[in-house]
Amino acid sequence: MRQLIAGNWKMNGLTTQASAIAGPLRAAAGDPIGLTCDLLVCPPFTQLLTVAQALAGSPIAVGGQDCHTAPHGAHTGDISAPMLRDAGATWVILGHSERRQNHAETDELVREKVVAATDAGLTQIVCVGETADQRASGQETEVVGWQLAGSLPKPFTGVVAYEPVWAIGTGKTATEQDVAIMHAFIRDELVRQFGEAGRGVRILYGGSVNPANAATLLAVPEVGGALVGGASLKPEDFLAIARAARIASEAGGG
Ligand code: PGA
């Protein structure tokens, strides 16, 4: 399976910056001997249409960073899954730790959002990951196991992203061994929850992925790609990570 390199712009990107990022990505993705991974960019809501139009007809997909559980209604400030689809998105990130922390999103709410996204035809990236304190007290697999059990509906046709909270935006990455252990655990949990279908779910790693560490992280068994925050705002860095995915796949790690 091809690895997926997904860019999460978070709350970054005015119109000029969105176009400045999308342009080089589109040019690189058009190169027939170029990238052999799947590419996805998730700009803020305000730039979705611009980025979707800039990438229309290219192999690069566009996604949102969150959606409401309802398709429409009196929810001031919220955006629904059909609205994302209407703006050109085919993917959505759900349950990111920044949403879980800053907006008190529970596993149950994330699960409802996954269902809403599926209904609207959006593929989901569902994020899980432990905090530094949870890891320090040896609870990392327990926490991730609970998040998986609570956040994923049956059936589940999306992607899971393992993002240790302490590695997000900190420059600290999990070690290869940490990633290998957690991704193997997540795979086992997915198979336990979903049977054979659980074997086909891509599991991304996220947390301070950059051009220097991407090849190593993407070569770890059961790593099906990367969810990239900060480095996705620099097209040259994002593309360097995407090229590392190809190398990792060719090495048999994908
Ligand atoms: P980061 O963010 O790459 O800036 O650490 C990753 C994420 O939060 O998805």
Side-chain angles (χ1 to χ4, degrees):
M1 193 185 298
R2 285 156 69 97
Q3 291 188 314
L4 169 66
I5 306 299
N8 173 12
W9 293 9
K10 308 192 180 186
M11 198 175 69
N12 296 291
L14 303 178
T15 306
T16 46
Q17 192 185 10
S19 303
I21 298 173
L25 298 188
R26 190 189 172 103
D31 173 359
I33 55 158
L35 305 170
T36 58
C37 61
D38 293 331
L39 273 186
L40 166 67
V41 290
C42 299
F45 296 136
T46 50
Q47 296 306 323
L48 260 183
L49 199 56
T50 305
V51 173
Q53 284 170 351
L55 297 176
S58 84
I60 308 173
V62 177
Q65 300 173 12
D66 179 44
C67 70
H68 197 272
T69 54
H72 52 79
H75 302 287
T76 303
D78 283 319
I79 303 283
S80 74
M83 287 171 167
L84 294 179
R85 195 82 173 87
D86 185 51
T90 51
W91 287 75
V92 63
I93 299 169
L94 294 172
H96 189 281
S97 61
E98 287 154 12
R99 304 258 356 142
R100 290 177 184 266
Q101 282 180 347
N102 303 346
H103 298 270
E105 291 200 2
T106 61
D107 291 333
E108 189 183 6
L109 180 66
V110 174
R111 189 173 68 239
E112 287 173 20
K113 290 183 175 194
V114 174
V115 172
T118 306
D119 290 347
L122 298 171
T123 307
Q124 318 87 43
I125 297 177
V126 179
C127 303
V128 296
E130 81 286 356
T131 63
D133 284 352
Q134 288 164 337
R135 179 165 281 269
S137 57
Q139 291 175 291
E140 64 274 13
T141 46
E142 195 184 339
V143 167
V144 168
W146 278 113
Q147 288 175 333
L148 290 171
S151 306
L152 305 182
K154 283 195 177 75
F156 174 66
T157 52
V159 169
V160 169
Y162 169 55
E163 297 207 308
V165 177
W166 47 271
I168 294 176
T170 58
K172 291 183 203 159
T173 44
T175 65
E176 283 171 74
Q177 201 193 4
D178 291 341
V179 176
I181 290 169
M182 188 59 88
H183 279 238
F185 169 76
I186 292 172
R187 176 66 66 211
D188 286 348
E189 281 299 298
L190 290 171
V191 171
R192 201 175 58 76
Q193 276 189 52
F194 302 105
E196 277 307 300
R199 290 194 198 286
V201 175
R202 278 192 279 202
I203 309 169
L204 313 183
Y205 170 78
S208 298
V209 176
N210 61 41
N213 61 29
T216 305
L217 290 164
L218 288 165
V220 174
E222 297 292 4
V223 172
L227 182 54
V228 184
S232 73
L233 295 170
K234 296 183 195 143
E236 65 282 7
D237 284 4
F238 191 58
L239 287 167
I241 294 167
R243 293 197 183 93
R246 177 180 52 168
I247 294 163
S249 302
E250 284 171 356

